[in-house]
Amino acid sequence: MDLSVFFAGTGGSVPSARRGLPGLLLRRGGDAVLFDCGEGTQRQLVRSVGLTDMSHVFLTHFHADHWLGLPGMLKSFELRDRDKPLTVLGPPGTRKLLESMRFVYGRLKYPFEIRELDPHEAVRFDDWAITPFAVAHRGPVSFGYAIVEDVRRGRFDVELAASLGVAEGPDFGRLERGETVNGVTREQVMGPDRPGRKIVLSGDTSPCEALRVAAHQADVLVCEATFAEEEAERAALTRHSTARQAAEIARDAEVRMLALTHLSSRYAGGEIRDEGRAVFERTVVPRDFDTIDVPFAEKGEPELVRWDAERAPA
Amino acid sequence: MDLSVFFAGTGGSVPSARRGLPGLLLRRGGDAVLFDCGEGTQRQLVRSVGLTDMSHVFLTHFHADHWLGLPGMLKSFELRDRDKPLTVLGPPGTRKLLESMRFVYGRLKYPFEIRELDPHEAVRFDDWAITPFAVAHRGPVSFGYAIVEDVRRGRFDVELAASLGVAEGPDFGRLERGETVNGVTREQVMGPDRPGRKIVLSGDTSPCEALRVAAHQADVLVCEATFAEEEAERAALTRHSTARQAAEIARDAEVRMLALTHLSSRYAGGEIRDEGRAVFERTVVPRDFDTIDVPFAEKGEPELVRWDAERAPA
C-alpha cells in the first residue's frame, strides 16, 4: 500500500515566488486527504497533481494563510460538478469559520459536512486513522495531526506450518484465527505483529511536549520551521519554531525523517536545511510539489522525491 | 509617459494550470492600480513584477473569483510593513464585503480606505481619471472601467512664433496662455489639442451598449471572452461574452487593440483568439504575466509583450 505526502505549498504567512501557502496532500492507496488549504492551494493542485478527489480537508487552525483557499476550492468543486462527498474537519470553531464564508461558496450540490474535532478524537478510515493533538501556537486552539496505520498482523509462514503437519486449506485459516491445529499454535507459525506507518504533522507551533510525544518514532515528521535560529526571539514571540528546534524534536522523538515546511519568505531553504541537519541528519526541506514516499519500515527509508516539472500539465 | 496593462491572471471562475484568476495591473509613470484581485493574485504578482506599491484596487463586481485574493493581500501588505495608503473602490456593497472579511486582515496599520462608486463617478489622478460604468452581468451591479488621460495641449511651434516676430521668453508664455502678442494668436503657433489615451476594461458582462459606448475609439479594450461561440447559450445564461461578441464590440467601437481575457478553463487560448480575429483582426489573447504597452497614437500601435520567464524572480 503506497503512502505519501505531497507538498502543495511550503511557505508560511506570505507567499513567495518559490513557495505557496500551506497545503499538504496525504495519499494512501485510493484515499486522498488535504491538510490546510492556504490561498492558492486549488491552483497549486491544478498545476501539479490535479484537483484531486480528496475526501477530507483537515484544518490545523484558523490563521488565514491556512484556510483562505478553502472557500474558493469548495466553489470550484461545485463548478466542476463534483458529486463525491467532502468533509471539512478542524478544531472547535471550524463550523463558524466555514459558515461565515458561506456567501462565497453558497449551497453546494455535493454532500458537504463540517465536523469539529476535540483533541485526540480519532477519525477512522479503513485500517488507519487521523488523530488531532493540541499544539502551542497563538490563538485559542491549534492542532497537529497524527496519521497512523493499524498494526499489521505478522506473516503466516506457510512452509513452516506444512512442515509441522498442518495441511494447506481450512486449517491454515483456523491457525491464523488463533485455534490450535494438530498441536500447532498461531505463535509458532506467524511472525510478530508489525507496526503500521506513522506520519505526524506539527501544524503551526512552538516546540512543545505534545508534538514530541505524538511524533515518537514516526516515519515522517512534517514540522514547521518558520524561522532560523537567528530569529529565535521572533519565533518565540509568534509561537513558531526554528529549524533547530524542529530538528531537536525529531531527534528526541527518534523519527525516521524530518521534513521542514512553512518557511518564512525570507529564507530560500538551504539555510533552514543546514540548520536542521546540524542537529538531525535526515532532515529535508521540500519545495512546492515535492513528494515524500513512505514505505513500510522493512521495505526502506522515507524518500523525498523532487517534483519533475516535465510532468506538469500544459 | 509610459502606460501599460499587466495581466496577473487571465482565467475566469476556476483557475487552470495556465491561467490564474482575474487581476490586471495598470501602470502609468509611477502610478500602479490593480483591477480585481482573484484568489492567488498576490502570488501571481510576487512571481512576476513583484508585490507592487499599487495605490488603488478597483473591484468590478463581487463574484468570488474577482475579489477573494484581496483579504490575503491586505494582510500580506501589513506583514510586510506597508506604510503607503491603499484605497479599495468598487460598486455599492464594496464596504460590506470588505468589512465581512475584516476578521482575516484585522486592523491595518497603513492608511486604508474603502470607497463605493456610483456609475460614472470619476476617480481623478493627476492628469488622468478612472471612471466606472455599469455593465450587464448577473447580480446587482457590475462595473467596467474606463481609464482616460486628459487631453494634451497642442505643440507650441517655437520657430514659427519667432518668425512671426514674437521674441523668445515671457511672450511665449503669454501666447500659450491665450494672449495675443504683436498681433499673433495662440491658434497660429500651437497645434490642435491631442486626445489622451484610453483603456477600457469590460469587467464581466454580456455584450451591452454601455460597453460599446465606453470603448469608443479606445486604444485598448480589455474584454472578457469567457466562452467561444459554441457555448453562446451558456454565455447568455451566465451573462458572459463569447470571443465573437467581444470582437464585434471592438470592431463597432473602433478600438485600436482588443485583448480577450477571463477565459473559461476549457480553452487553451488559440480558439478564442481565432474566433476574435475572424471579426476583428487586432485581437490578442494575453497569457498570465503578459503586458500590453500603450503608446500615444502618434508614436505607434499598442503592443502585446509576452512575458519572459527568464526575468522571473528566483
Side-chain angles (χ1 to χ4, degrees):
Chain A
M1 179 72 75
D2 66 277
L3 177 67
S4 67
V5 288
F6 170 82
F7 294 82
T10 58
S13 308
V14 175
S16 68
R18 287 169 183 269
R19 298 180 188 276
L21 292 174
L24 189 148
L25 189 69
L26 177 88
R27 289 185 288 189
R28 181 179 185 275
D31 289 328
V33 169
L34 184 69
F35 292 88
D36 285 335
C37 189
E39 181 188 342
T41 297
Q42 60 168 325
R43 182 150 193 244
Q44 294 284 90
L45 292 173
V46 167
R47 295 182 65 201
S48 54
V49 296
L51 200 56
T52 56
D53 254 353
M54 68 195 75
S55 58
H56 298 70
V57 179
F58 288 81
L59 300 180
T60 58
H61 65 299
F62 306 139
H63 289 152
D65 53 327
H66 290 257
W67 66 265
L68 200 44
L70 187 51
M73 194 172 75
L74 297 178
K75 174 88 175 167
S76 291
F77 284 145
E78 179 80 5
L79 292 170
R80 285 166 176 252
D81 296 322
R82 178 189 179 107
D83 51 18
K84 182 172 172 168
L86 182 72
T87 306
V88 176
L89 308 96
T94 297
R95 188 179 312 280
K96 188 178 163 216
L97 175 71
L98 269 287
E99 291 301 343
S100 78
M101 298 299 291
R102 176 70 74 167
F103 73 102
V104 168
Y105 55 90
R107 213 181 293 182
L108 301 170
K109 285 193 289 287
Y110 56 92
F112 176 64
E113 195 189 340
I114 301 168
R115 196 171 144 198
E116 302 191 339
L117 297 172
D118 290 322
H120 301 295
E121 181 183 351
V123 179
R124 287 290 313 172
F125 293 77
D126 280 349
D127 54 348
W128 58 293
I130 298 177
T131 309
F133 54 94
V135 291
H137 191 46
R138 308 188 311 276
V141 61
S142 284
F143 281 171
Y145 287 99
I147 298 112
V148 183
E149 291 180 327
D150 293 350
V151 166
R152 292 169 295 155
R153 298 280 295 278
R155 288 184 202 281
F156 188 93
D157 190 330
V158 172
E159 287 183 15
L160 181 60
S163 76
L164 291 174
V166 182
E168 241 183 286
D171 280 349
F172 274 25
R174 282 149 69 190
L175 257 183
E176 272 199 280
R177 287 192 297 275
E179 295 177 33
T180 301
V181 177
N182 302 345
V184 179
T185 63
R186 178 169 65 183
E187 287 65 36
Q188 286 178 274
V189 294
M190 286 188 74
D193 284 351
R194 293 162 298 166
R197 292 165 289 189
K198 178 161 82 168
I199 297 171
V200 172
L201 316 179
S202 71
D204 280 14
T205 186
S206 42
C208 66
E209 190 60 18
L211 178 58
R212 204 182 317 265
V213 169
H216 182 66
Q217 294 192 345
D219 293 270
V220 177
L221 168 61
V222 179
C223 190
E224 73 125 296
T226 308
F227 298 107
E229 273 295 311
E230 62 186 23
E231 292 278 5
E233 207 170 316
R234 191 179 178 86
L237 197 69
T238 54
R239 307 203 78 185
H240 282 297
S241 299
T242 68
R244 188 170 86 190
Q245 290 167 337
E248 286 167 353
I249 286 180
R251 179 195 63 200
D252 296 352
E254 301 170 3
V255 306
R256 290 170 71 207
M257 175 182 267
L258 169 66
L260 299 177
T261 188
H262 199 269
L263 274 60
S264 161
S265 59
R266 74 196 72 188
Y267 303 110
E271 62 282 61
I272 292 291
R273 182 197 59 215
D274 293 346
E275 185 177 303
R277 283 196 184 159
V279 173
F280 183 77
E281 205 196 320
R282 284 190 53 79
T283 298
V284 296
V285 180
R287 296 189 285 247
D288 286 10
F289 303 169
D290 287 350
T291 297
I292 295 178
D293 285 330
V294 189
F296 287 112
E298 68 272 19
K299 296 268 176 66
E301 292 297 311
E303 188 188 357
L304 175 67
V305 182
R306 292 293 184 186
W307 172 249
D308 177 0
E310 305 279 310
R311 286 166 50 200
Chain B
M1 177 74 74
D2 65 277
L3 176 68
S4 67
V5 288
F6 169 83
F7 293 82
T10 59
S13 308
V14 175
S16 68
R18 286 169 184 266
R19 299 182 188 275
L21 294 174
L24 187 150
L25 189 70
L26 176 88
R27 290 184 286 188
R28 182 179 185 276
D31 288 329
V33 168
L34 184 70
F35 291 88
D36 283 336
C37 189
E39 181 187 342
T41 297
Q42 60 167 323
R43 183 152 191 243
Q44 294 285 89
L45 293 174
V46 167
R47 294 182 65 202
S48 54
V49 296
L51 199 55
T52 56
D53 253 354
M54 68 197 75
S55 58
H56 298 69
V57 179
F58 287 81
L59 300 180
T60 58
H61 65 299
F62 307 140
H63 290 152
D65 54 326
H66 290 256
W67 66 265
L68 200 45
L70 187 51
M73 193 173 75
L74 297 178
K75 175 85 174 171
S76 291
F77 284 146
E78 179 79 6
L79 293 170
R80 285 166 175 250
D81 296 322
R82 179 188 177 108
D83 51 18
K84 180 173 172 167
L86 182 72
T87 305
V88 176
L89 308 95
T94 298
R95 189 180 312 281
K96 188 178 163 216
L97 175 72
L98 269 286
E99 291 301 345
S100 78
M101 297 299 291
R102 176 72 73 168
F103 73 102
V104 168
Y105 55 89
R107 212 181 295 183
L108 300 170
K109 287 192 287 290
Y110 56 92
F112 176 64
E113 195 190 339
I114 301 168
R115 199 175 141 194
E116 302 190 341
L117 297 172
D118 290 322
H120 301 294
E121 181 183 351
V123 179
R124 287 290 312 170
F125 293 78
D126 280 349
D127 52 350
W128 57 292
I130 298 177
T131 309
F133 54 96
V135 291
H137 192 45
R138 307 188 312 277
V141 61
S142 283
F143 281 171
Y145 287 100
I147 299 111
V148 183
E149 291 179 327
D150 293 350
V151 165
R152 292 169 294 153
R153 298 282 294 277
R155 289 182 203 282
F156 187 94
D157 190 330
V158 172
E159 286 183 13
L160 180 60
S163 75
L164 292 174
V166 182
E168 240 185 286
D171 279 349
F172 274 22
R174 283 151 67 191
L175 258 182
E176 273 200 278
R177 285 191 299 275
E179 296 177 32
T180 300
V181 177
N182 301 343
V184 178
T185 63
R186 180 168 65 181
E187 288 64 35
Q188 286 179 273
V189 295
M190 284 187 75
D193 284 351
R194 291 162 299 167
R197 291 164 290 190
K198 178 160 84 168
I199 297 171
V200 172
L201 316 179
S202 72
D204 281 14
T205 187
S206 42
C208 65
E209 190 58 21
L211 177 58
R212 204 183 317 265
V213 168
H216 182 65
Q217 295 194 341
D219 292 272
V220 178
L221 168 60
V222 179
C223 191
E224 74 124 298
T226 308
F227 298 107
E229 272 296 310
E230 63 185 24
E231 293 278 4
E233 208 170 314
R234 193 179 177 86
L237 196 71
T238 55
R239 308 204 76 186
H240 283 295
S241 299
T242 68
R244 189 170 84 189
Q245 292 167 337
E248 286 167 351
I249 287 181
R251 179 195 62 200
D252 297 350
E254 302 171 2
V255 307
R256 292 171 69 208
M257 173 181 268
L258 170 66
L260 298 177
T261 188
H262 200 270
L263 273 60
S264 160
S265 60
R266 72 196 71 187
Y267 304 111
E271 61 283 62
I272 293 290
R273 181 198 60 216
D274 294 345
E275 185 177 303
R277 283 198 184 158
V279 174
F280 184 77
E281 205 198 321
R282 285 190 54 77
T283 298
V284 297
V285 180
R287 296 190 285 247
D288 286 11
F289 303 169
D290 287 350
T291 297
I292 295 178
D293 285 328
V294 189
F296 287 112
E298 68 270 19
K299 296 269 178 66
E301 293 297 312
E303 187 189 357
L304 176 67
V305 182
R306 293 290 184 190
W307 171 249
D308 177 0
E310 303 278 308
R311 286 164 51 199

